[in-house]
Amino acid sequence: MKTRFNRLFCSAALAALAGTAVAAEPKAMLGFSATSTQVERDLEGRFDAGLSAAAIRERLRLMAAEPNQVGSPHDKANAEFTLAQFRAWGWDAHIEVFNVLYPTPRAEGLELLGPHPFKATLTEPAIPGDDSSAHQSGGLPAYVAYGGDGDVTAPLIYVNYGMPADYDALQRLGLDVKGKIVIARYGAGWRGLKPKLAQEHGAVGCIIYSDPADDGYGAGDAYPAGAYRPETGLQRGSVQDLPVEPGDPLTPGYGAVEGAPRIPLAEAKTILKIPVLPVSWGEARPFLAALGGPVAPRGWRGALPITYHVGGSGVSAHMLVLSNWDQKPLYDVIAVMKGAREPDKWVVRGNHRDGWVFGAEDPLSGQIALMEEARSIGALARTGWRPARTLVYASWDGEEPGLLGSTEWAETHARELQNKAVVYINTDGNNRGVLSAETSYSLRRLFDEATSTVTDPETGVSVRDRALAAMQVRGLASDATPEQKTWAKIARDGGDLPVGDLGSGSDYTPFVQHLGIASINFGFAGEGQSGGVYHSAYDTFEHFERFSDPGFAYSVVLAKTAGRLVLRAANADLAPFQFADLASSVAAQTEELKKLVATGREHAVTQDRLLDQKAFALADDPTLSSGPPERESIAPTLDFAALDGAVTRLTASAHAYDQAAATAPTADRGAAADALLQGLEQTLTDPEGLPGRPWYRHLIYAPGLLTGYGAKTLPGVREAIEGRRWSEASAFIARTAAVLEAASARLDQATGVLTK
Ligand SMILES: [Zn+2]
């Protein structure tokens, strides 16, 4: 009783704080009239009633029972189970098979040589009390996908996180990695960049370990006492050169279907040359403890009870990685429910199904929610209801090694998707906690509205209001980033729920970045503790139920949120886009780029002055053979006029459209406008793509070449400025302005249809 009272009291207090009632009075939703809004709300009530936490739990128990990585028997069994379920729920479902290059370890070894030799086991032994972890047969040992083959013996050197700034620091210590094996810790940037940068700097091998400071006992109690990474836990993962292009490396840009040509392995652009192995901190410790050389810089030290040294001479290691470079089958399960009014407009919803080992949290916690949505929608269909637009539900295979299942499917059906897909809605792993998302700008209002009608199970306010409260609290902290402060301000001032920009790292990538289909990626996180078993054999049903989402309440919330997004996108009288957020975002980014040029110029000028004064030589410790930094090229005056003009026009066009769309949409006018809106995000792409990576065509957002997953906005211009390639920056100012002009023209046409 007391708990219940406290809970209620808490909810009321939070609701008052957020200033909104949980069940808002129905007003017209984006794309709906007042009448059709009421119909949709009733439908959502019936959809919610069809969701069951118990059914979700049972599904996770079955699907996470055995290792289910690409090519494993249980991956195929899960695909067949998913197919049978979709069919039983009334969907028109099939499995699409692709054959992709997927290397798996054939032989591997990691040894420390010298006076205190040590041989790593590269395995994750069972954890007491976790039955799943004792049943790893069919799983694979420590490995990463798409590293090179190699048998190397070389001096070992510690490079901290192995990010660009770490190489600058190493250079200033007078050390380099040429001909050496680097050992880097996980964190601070995408995994694949660590071996890529090591290779570019001349290293011959790369070991990546999980330091207990980051996700082990330095962060919380280790498994099984707590949720965090134990001494034996290691992180598998992909090191494919994802920012160049995802998908099967042998079929770049087209589907890996039967009979499609394969390029020779040696020509594949996204496979590394050097061998890479992940290890636990327990097995990394002897290597790190043996290193000599200078003491590691302060920021490089982790939580092991040793003095961290950089090494670089004296201590050597031996690495062996040999893989089976054969093709393995992918099983994408695709389920369709045809739309009654606009069957050729598709709402696509996906989550991946393959894990690294058991994959309970990543990805099955999202997959089981997606299936629950499909079950509830199937039950609605049995009552005679039909969506207005067609629903396409996808259970992707092969996401972990390189977004393989979604990319091959998107490439195979590229033309049809570009003609029909209105929106793509993605989820991946899910936890107890607070809502966060990345979306196309045109979908922010839809996301804001839909999430305001889903109740958070812990607080009783909407998941949106809880996220807004969390953003304001975060923005108040003394270490808040500029972005967190901006979000806090938007949250306070009542704008649409702030969300991030789309980069990469999950299955929305081919849809938005390659095909130009407006996308949403979202989930709940922050309280469930899954980080310490991320990509480990300990990401099990047992761990998930204890630490990630006890009671599966947030799996249900994920299904409720995704279900609303899917159903509203499918049923709205007019496709639910809003463009003011696009115009204001691009306007703000343009100003940011101008500042970036100015601050870069100031930095280069100041550094030149310090070099002229020999200031670096005076400031440095003369016993360490460091050298001064290299001179930077000073930015010329870049002409932003074309971009400024395009932003002004877009702002006017977006506001005109939003106003026209707000005046009581009807289904017949909506259908006429849909034809223009469906392809609108595609106007923001350029068929020639980004420099050196033409697969990435979106000119408003892309994963950064040096961030891996993280987004760069106006990437053509921004990365050219960051790389001090001034003529490329000018060229991309013109190309980015051109896509914005095209978007404005398309918006004006849609406004014309609505106001005629
Ligand atoms: Zn995942």
Side-chain angles (χ1 to χ4, degrees):
M1 280 304 273
K2 198 174 170 222
T3 312
R4 188 178 161 77
F5 172 79
N6 281 342
R7 173 86 17 118
L8 284 171
F9 177 78
C10 226
S11 304
L14 269 166
L17 185 73
T20 43
V22 173
E25 274 297 294
K27 57 169 178 128
M29 305 188 303
L30 184 64
F32 291 85
S33 65
T35 313
S36 58
T37 292
Q38 194 52 59
V39 173
E40 187 69 11
R41 288 265 166 90
D42 292 346
L43 181 77
E44 288 170 0
R46 284 183 285 142
F47 168 79
D48 286 355
L51 303 173
S52 156
I56 289 173
R57 178 184 186 276
E58 178 58 13
R59 201 170 291 135
L60 184 65
R61 208 182 53 73
L62 286 172
M63 297 183 82
E66 290 177 50
N68 49 53
Q69 77 279 1
V70 171
S72 66
H74 196 62
D75 179 44
K76 189 175 186 212
N78 277 347
E80 285 163 355
F81 169 70
T82 304
L83 175 73
Q85 291 288 82
F86 272 115
R87 285 183 173 164
W89 298 329
W91 292 70
D92 179 9
H94 66 279
I95 291 182
E96 242 173 281
V97 181
F98 299 97
N99 286 297
V100 295
L101 178 76
Y102 176 63
T104 48
R106 172 158 68 80
E108 55 180 34
L110 178 63
E111 287 170 274
L112 176 68
L113 309 175
H116 305 288
F118 172 77
K119 197 171 182 339
T121 67
L122 302 173
T123 57
E124 299 184 275
I127 294 281
D130 184 324
D131 288 348
S132 298
S133 70
H135 295 95
Q136 292 182 42
S137 100
L140 295 166
Y143 77 113
V144 298
Y146 303 115
D149 275 0
D151 184 350
V152 294
T153 299
L156 189 64
I157 185 165
Y158 176 56
V159 294
N160 192 29
Y161 292 111
M163 291 289 117
D166 298 321
Y167 283 92
D168 295 343
L170 208 58
Q171 188 229 330
R172 307 215 53 224
L173 287 172
L175 293 170
D176 66 54
V177 304
K178 237 172 248 123
K180 296 170 191 152
I181 293 173
V182 306
I183 180 164
R185 57 168 159 162
Y186 269 110
W190 178 55
R191 172 191 322 104
L193 281 178
K194 299 168 193 280
K196 182 182 174 182
L197 291 171
Q199 178 178 303
E200 284 172 2
H201 286 87
V204 297
C206 177
I207 304 163
I208 315 176
Y209 83 102
S210 303
D211 197 284
D214 298 308
D215 62 6
Y217 60 72
D221 288 323
Y223 196 46
Y228 289 87
R229 198 176 298 273
E231 183 173 357
T232 54
L234 59 90
Q235 185 189 138
R236 293 164 187 75
S238 178
V239 297
Q240 185 188 57
D241 203 349
L242 188 74
V244 169
E245 73 194 10
D248 174 28
L250 302 188
T251 58
Y254 54 94
V257 294
E258 182 95 34
R262 263 69 179 179
I263 63 169
L265 185 58
E267 286 173 25
K269 277 193 295 187
T270 55
I271 301 173
L272 293 176
K273 302 273 186 285
I274 62 172
V276 187
L277 279 172
V279 290
S280 63
W281 68 255
E283 299 210 312
R285 181 177 169 174
F287 292 84
L288 292 164
L291 290 174
V295 171
R298 186 166 292 276
W300 288 33
R301 302 169 202 165
L304 290 172
I306 59 171
T307 302
Y308 285 68
H309 288 84
V310 180
S313 60
V315 176
S316 286
H318 172 226
M319 265 183 99
L320 169 74
V321 180
L322 296 174
S323 299
N324 274 320
W325 291 91
D326 50 7
Q327 290 179 20
K328 313 278 194 308
L330 291 180
Y331 304 101
D332 285 346
V333 184
I334 308 293
V336 177
M337 186 175 289
K338 206 163 182 186
R341 192 182 74 219
E342 294 182 61
D344 285 338
K345 294 286 177 291
W346 294 0
V347 174
V348 188
R349 161 84 176 103
N351 194 106
H352 73 100
R353 195 188 61 248
D354 65 302
W356 280 113
V357 188
F358 301 100
E361 192 274 343
D362 182 9
L364 292 173
S365 60
Q367 165 77 18
I368 54 178
L370 173 145
M371 291 174 74
E372 193 64 6
E373 295 155 42
R375 188 171 77 92
S376 187
I377 291 171
L380 293 175
R382 267 200 300 280
T383 67
W385 169 86
R386 279 286 176 280
R389 302 182 182 85
T390 293
L391 307 184
V392 180
Y393 265 60
S395 165
W396 306 121
D397 200 354
E399 189 268 358
E400 291 295 357
L403 319 179
L404 305 177
S406 54
T407 299
E408 298 312 316
W409 191 79
E411 288 175 347
T412 301
H413 302 283
R415 185 186 288 267
E416 193 171 21
L417 282 164
Q418 287 188 314
N419 287 330
K420 296 180 178 175
V422 177
V423 53
Y424 174 72
I425 298 161
N426 192 69
T427 55
D428 203 320
N430 192 58
N431 278 272
R432 186 169 78 85
V434 180
L435 174 71
S436 66
E438 301 87 42
T439 78
S440 290
Y441 303 128
S442 57
L443 293 168
R444 290 190 171 180
R445 175 59 54 80
L446 168 69
F447 192 73
D448 180 83
E449 286 187 355
T451 56
S452 72
T453 66
V454 177
T455 303
D456 176 66
E458 292 179 331
T459 61
V461 300
S462 73
V463 294
R464 168 186 179 271
D465 286 350
R466 192 173 186 207
L468 289 173
M471 283 171 194
Q472 292 180 76
V473 169
R474 231 177 277 136
L476 192 64
S478 58
D479 62 345
T481 64
E483 186 185 52
Q484 285 169 340
K485 285 181 184 157
T486 307
W487 283 21
K489 194 169 171 299
I490 297 170
R492 185 197 66 197
D493 295 347
D496 286 340
L497 176 68
V499 296
D501 299 307
L502 290 159
S504 184
S506 195
D507 291 306
Y508 59 84
T509 308
F511 294 93
V512 70
Q513 306 293 6
H514 188 58
L515 299 181
I517 293 162
S519 297
I520 293 174
N521 181 51
F522 79 97
F524 294 84
E527 296 171 345
Q529 297 160 355
S530 61
V533 295
Y534 175 64
H535 290 186
S536 146
Y538 308 139
D539 180 4
T540 58
F541 176 82
E542 288 85 344
H543 190 282
F544 185 84
E545 190 169 37
R546 264 184 80 191
F547 297 112
S548 290
D549 185 16
F552 293 80
Y554 282 86
S555 296
V556 174
V557 167
L558 190 79
K560 282 185 183 172
T561 309
R564 274 162 181 65
L565 294 167
V566 165
L567 293 172
R568 290 184 188 190
N571 294 336
D573 300 312
L574 169 65
F577 293 112
Q578 184 257 26
F579 295 94
D581 284 333
L582 169 67
S584 61
S585 300
V586 175
Q589 290 152 12
T590 302
E591 293 313 307
E592 235 174 74
L593 290 183
K594 291 175 189 168
K595 272 196 207 120
L596 186 65
V597 175
T599 52
R601 184 183 299 125
E602 199 182 303
H603 185 272
V605 169
T606 306
Q607 185 173 286
D608 272 1
R609 185 168 53 77
L610 295 178
L611 285 167
D612 292 343
Q613 295 170 350
K614 308 230 177 320
F616 290 93
L618 297 175
D620 285 347
D621 178 347
T623 67
L624 297 172
S625 57
S626 57
E630 279 175 34
R631 282 178 196 267
E632 296 164 353
S633 93
I634 295 171
T637 310
L638 280 180
D639 184 358
F640 279 93
L643 203 46
D644 286 334
V647 168
T648 304
R649 181 177 171 198
L650 180 66
T651 304
S653 298
H655 284 112
Y657 172 84
D658 289 346
Q659 213 158 32
T663 52
T666 58
D668 55 333
R669 266 201 304 193
D674 273 6
L676 294 158
L677 295 172
Q678 180 270 329
L680 204 130
E681 184 97 6
Q682 286 170 52
T683 61
L684 300 172
T685 64
D686 181 322
E688 284 177 43
L690 294 172
R693 43 179 185 149
W695 188 92
Y696 284 94
R697 296 174 182 157
H698 211 297
L699 293 196
I700 310 302
Y701 21 68
L705 253 186
L706 289 176
T707 57
Y709 288 169
K712 292 272 179 176
T713 53
L714 309 185
V717 187
R718 190 182 299 269
E719 291 198 321
I721 292 171
E722 287 170 349
R724 302 187 176 83
R725 300 183 298 273
W726 309 115
S727 63
E728 185 182 304
S730 294
F732 271 92
I733 286 174
R735 283 170 63 181
T736 306
V739 302
L740 294 179
E741 294 282 355
S744 298
R746 178 77 78 110
L747 271 175
D748 294 346
Q749 280 179 282
T751 305
V753 168
L754 289 177
T755 53
K756 199 162 49 193

